[in-house]
Amino acid sequence: MVTIRDVAQASGVHVSTVSRTFSAPHLVSAETRNRVLAVAEGLGYRPNRAARALTTGRTHNLGLIVADIANPFFPPLIKAAQAQARERDYHVFVADTDENPLMEQELIETLCKQVDGVLLCSPRLSNRVIERLRAQVPFAVVNRRVKGLPTVLMDVGQGVRAAVEHLADLGHRRIALLSGPSGSWTSEEMHATATDAAAEAGVELTVLRPNEPTEQGGLAAAAAVAGSGMTGVLCHNDLVALGLIEGLRERGLSVPGDLSVIGVDDSLPGRLNRPKLTTITMPTAAAGRMAVDLLLAAVNAGDAATAALARLETTLIVRESTGPAAPSALPARLPASPAVR
């Protein structure tokens, strides 16, 4: 069996350099790293992760927990996180909570025994429970503010403000927000920003909540939207928006002829839909990479870890699902004051 000493001797480097090449490649120069890897490949050397874990106390595994792996929001984040972790010689275990906070807690408690850190993406658990669980393993969080934890936030409020202003500029005076599930940080941010932006634009805002963050959630809300007198709708995500469009179509209403609809995520289904969906981009891949970096920084820092915060911008992409409000739906612009029902 080829050993690490054989690789070191053939590469002309110290054993510790070979070890760092596999455990912390970013600490080894590109030239040395490439030479060691080439020699290891030629000799057929494979590092023994179990032995390394016994020596270092590190598994070189990370847990990544998402709310719904079937939601197109998550796969780009997962792929980016896995690629970033691989660059740092870490493997990623992915788990899906199916939007169930009890399952989320169970998964965390199971994974923490097998990983060096856990990345929570859009968690549904309360902050109180997350703060209690963090004593078992280092955490980093995407799209949730938890005191003391490294965090990556996609600033959905930035895109929401642009969406409300876009609808107001098109003449819409009564708009709806289809909010997301309870416990969703994104949903709360959208609600707060849409309320402020609607007041500033002199637009009446009706909030319909909570809604399942799926096509079925949009379909279920279609009846309430169709009978509300609203002419523009901002949805929790693209899936809800696509379900809403289908539900409105079943009721004889067209988009954007009768109602304008905006989603969030800029997902592939929204780009392929007819009409193509106006949406708010969410930099999920960048968030995945950054979250892994913050998590590994916390793992390496131990008790000295800091609660780093990274905030990523979002933008509105105007496509085909928004248009001018119908002439019959154009009352005088409301005064610039809160008007949320």
Side-chain angles (χ1 to χ4, degrees), residues 159-243:
V160 166
R161 183 171 294 279
V164 172
E165 292 171 353
H166 172 61
L167 291 173
D169 290 343
L170 289 171
H172 296 273
R173 300 293 175 262
R174 301 184 65 200
I175 65 175
L177 170 65
L178 293 192
S179 202
S182 300
S184 165
W185 175 87
T186 297
S187 184
E188 295 302 322
E189 284 293 299
M190 291 181 67
H191 185 186
T193 306
T195 299
D196 291 343
E200 293 169 9
V203 172
E204 180 183 349
L205 175 70
T206 297
V207 181
L208 303 176
R209 60 187 305 183
N211 295 282
E212 183 181 337
T214 63
E215 298 98 325
Q216 190 58 44
L219 278 167
V225 171
S228 68
M230 302 294 135
T231 63
V233 186
L234 174 59
C235 298
H236 176 73
N237 62 23
D238 286 355
L239 293 181
V240 173
L242 295 176

Side-chain angles (χ1 to χ4, degrees), residues 2 32 112 248 326 338:
V2 179
T32 301
C112 72
L248 294 173

Side-chain angles (χ1 to χ4, degrees), residues 100-102 104-105 108 120 122-130 133 144 183:
N100 184 329
L102 293 179
E104 186 171 56
Q105 179 173 343
I108 292 171
L120 300 177
S122 301
R124 301 302 184 231
L125 284 172
S126 69
N127 282 14
R128 179 180 57 81
V129 174
I130 293 173
L133 292 172
R144 170 73 76 84

